[in-house]
Amino acid sequence: MSTRTVEIVEVAPRDGLQSEDTILDADTKVELINRAVGAGVRRIEVCSFVNPARVPQMADAEAVLAALPVRDDVTYIGLVLNRRGFERAAAAGVREINVVAVTTETFAQRNQGTTSDETIKAFEDIAPPALDAHIRPTLTISASFGCPYEGEVSVSRVVDIARRGAGAGAVEIALADSIGAAVPTDVHERLDAVRAVIGDAALRAHFHNTRNTGLANAYAAIESGIDALDASLGGIGGCPFAPNATGNIPTEDLAYLLARMGVATGLDLEALTDIVPWIEAQLGKRVPGLLSKAGLFPAA
């Protein structure tokens, strides 16, 4: 593991905050993003261009983007679900978009108000103009490891969506465990199956810790050769449209795990842990992450 480098994509400003009862203003979100950059994060999902009536926490996407410093070494990602969202993101200056396709009908209706196939067609519609505009299109396959409404999701369904995404021009495909149902054997099986059909597209994983398997699944993804993992500072977040879908894996806990394994991330562990009490103060509650509570080891 000592020669490995893994990119941690910070998702607290979007996936982390979208499920929180406390709605932070744009200035506070910008400070969160800048603090993450100061800790070494170089790729951050900062907002989503979605219907503010459905996700009011993300209503200020344009304001957040406008207030962020332009840096050649930092990528700000905007989530979009349809052509209208893509047009807003492009106008706001986003250079990378993340589009979500959903594996099952019920979850697609609850999450995006459309069919599963339409979520895939949305990416197929968005990717070509994104590439023409030099905006990186990435595809996240939501509920890749199980659906909160329909239960098991077949490997073949995930593979089919991944194949279509790669064919449409996805530069990266992420498998998302939206409800924290996966275990490491699932991770190995699905990553290997998807890798076989996506050609040159990169592969990323997004794990939730609903059943306390998130970090074990991240380790399994590393074993499978993945080069990028999503995580959220403090472990905040979840899916507002999936019952009991608690937080993401904590960025600082994941970074600690990888550092002790000899895997390089480019992140400053002490700086990451220092951000967590600030997040707790903004949200008015304790967060699930543990490294900020236990401290670094060995102690400084």
Side-chain angles (χ1 to χ4, degrees), residues 233-234 252 271-281 287 289 292-293:
L233 279 159
E252 65 281 5
L272 289 175
T273 57
D274 287 346
I275 300 171
V276 177
W278 178 85
I279 292 174
E280 292 180 327
V287 298
S292 62
K293 301 176 179 67

Side-chain angles (χ1 to χ4, degrees), residues 51-68:
N51 186 342
R54 287 178 63 83
V55 190
Q57 295 89 338
M58 295 290 110
D60 54 2
E62 283 86 354
V64 170
L65 260 298
L68 287 171

Side-chain angles (χ1 to χ4, degrees), residues 216-229:
N217 291 333
Y219 177 73
I222 299 297
E223 285 188 315
S224 289
I226 207 165
D227 293 320
L229 289 163

Side-chain angles (χ1 to χ4, degrees), residues 202-270:
L203 195 54
R204 192 175 87 245
H206 177 106
F207 297 115
H208 284 218
N209 202 38
T210 312
R211 292 167 179 83
N212 209 32
T213 58
L215 286 177
N217 291 333
Y219 177 73
I222 299 297
E223 285 188 315
S224 289
I226 207 165
D227 293 320
L229 289 163
D230 289 354
S232 175
L233 279 159
I236 63 171
C239 178
F241 306 106
N244 303 319
T246 51
N248 297 278
I249 54 175
T251 304
E252 65 281 5
D253 294 6
L254 175 62
Y256 172 82
L257 171 70
L258 296 180
R260 295 286 289 180
M261 290 167 56
V263 176
T265 63
L267 303 186
D268 182 328
L269 275 176
E270 187 170 1

Side-chain angles (χ1 to χ4, degrees), residues 67-130:
L68 287 171
V70 177
R71 294 181 49 149
D72 292 338
D73 62 337
V74 176
T75 299
Y76 303 126
I77 306 167
L79 180 136
V80 305
L81 300 181
N82 50 40
R83 188 64 174 259
R84 171 61 182 144
F86 165 66
E87 290 169 353
R88 286 178 58 198
V94 169
R95 305 317 303 165
E96 179 173 329
I97 56 167
N98 183 32
V99 183
V100 176
V102 185
T103 58
T104 67
E105 294 300 329
T106 308
F107 197 23
Q109 289 291 346
R110 298 291 184 94
N111 192 57
Q112 291 167 226
T114 188
T115 67
S116 174
D117 192 58
E118 285 299 322
T119 67
I120 307 165
K121 288 180 178 177
F123 181 78
E124 293 171 329
D125 178 54
I126 291 167

